[in-house]
Amino acid sequence: FYVLVYFFFFFMFICFYFFFFNDTATTEIYTLSLHDALPISNIARFMWGEDATDLFKGCNVRSRYPNLKIMKRGKQLAMLSGSSGFLIPTPELGELMAQKELYWVRMHEFDLVGNLFSIGVEDADPRIRVGDEVCIIDKNGLTATGTAKMNEIGRASCRERV
């Protein structure tokens, strides 16, 4: 009788182990339901205002938290940063942001290599805060996306010193 009980518990342990710890799926793809889309839209609304929520309609999420990739029509628009909880835009989302004039920085005409410093900024959206994700544009359109390290007040104080 004890042998049967032993094998029964051993069998249950093996089933439990493989059920909970055997993770063969590395990527999941699912369409955002209304319940799933609301947090992404809320993050976008916080980061870029009410107009940004429209950019994420009809999106899919690929992968698992915290490395969520926000996809639309087969192209990645953004990635959710696990460390900050913010969306990191791709050039595709940068193009859409530039078209809607959301959090843009217009740079002087030169070939951008590396960082864009305040001396190279021609104009910027006054809503930009330090740490915001922005699209960098020139006369030809989107040049890059990046993180703002200075807002309009800081930029104005730099101009006064020159």
Side-chain angles (χ1 to χ4, degrees):
F1 175 75
Y2 290 111
V3 173
L4 288 175
V5 172
Y6 174 78
F7 279 114
F8 174 76
F9 282 111
F10 180 73
F11 177 75
M12 293 303 291
F13 172 77
I14 296 296
C15 289
F16 175 82
Y17 180 82
F18 280 107
F19 182 77
F20 286 105
F21 299 108
N22 186 17
D23 185 15
T24 57
T26 57
T27 302
E28 295 177 6
I29 301 171
Y30 58 93
T31 302
L32 285 174
S33 65
L34 180 59
H35 180 268
D36 295 328
L38 287 176
I40 300 295
S41 295
N42 288 339
I43 294 169
R45 182 181 297 114
F46 173 77
M47 291 180 67
W48 302 301
E50 190 68 38
D51 294 337
T53 58
D54 294 340
L55 301 176
F56 294 92
K57 287 184 180 172
C59 286
N60 296 326
V61 174
R62 172 172 266 171
S63 194
R64 297 173 186 231
Y65 184 82
N67 301 314
L68 297 179
K69 297 177 183 176
I70 314 302
M71 310 289 287
K72 189 171 190 176
R73 296 187 196 108
K75 293 186 177 184
Q76 184 177 345
L77 288 184
M79 177 169 249
L80 182 67
S81 168
S83 60
S84 69
F86 291 145
L87 297 170
I88 310 298
T90 61
E92 286 76 12
L93 181 57
E95 288 281 354
L96 297 172
M97 289 172 62
Q99 290 170 7
K100 286 189 156 239
E101 296 183 352
L102 293 173
Y103 288 72
W104 52 269
V105 174
R106 183 173 298 110
M107 60 179 258
H108 291 290
E109 296 302 316
F110 64 92
D111 290 332
L112 179 63
V113 179
N115 295 326
L116 176 62
F117 294 98
S118 63
I119 196 75
V121 174
E122 183 177 306
D123 196 11
D125 189 332
R127 299 174 291 183
I128 294 174
R129 302 162 292 197
V130 174
D132 281 344
E133 296 295 326
V134 299
C135 58
I136 301 168
I137 58 174
D138 63 10
K139 69 177 184 176
N140 299 320
L142 182 76
T143 300
T145 62
T147 305
K149 299 293 183 188
M150 182 182 292
N151 59 12
E152 186 62 29
I153 294 168
R155 206 170 138 256
S157 68
C158 286
R159 281 193 302 256
E160 290 172 5
R161 291 183 195 155
V162 173

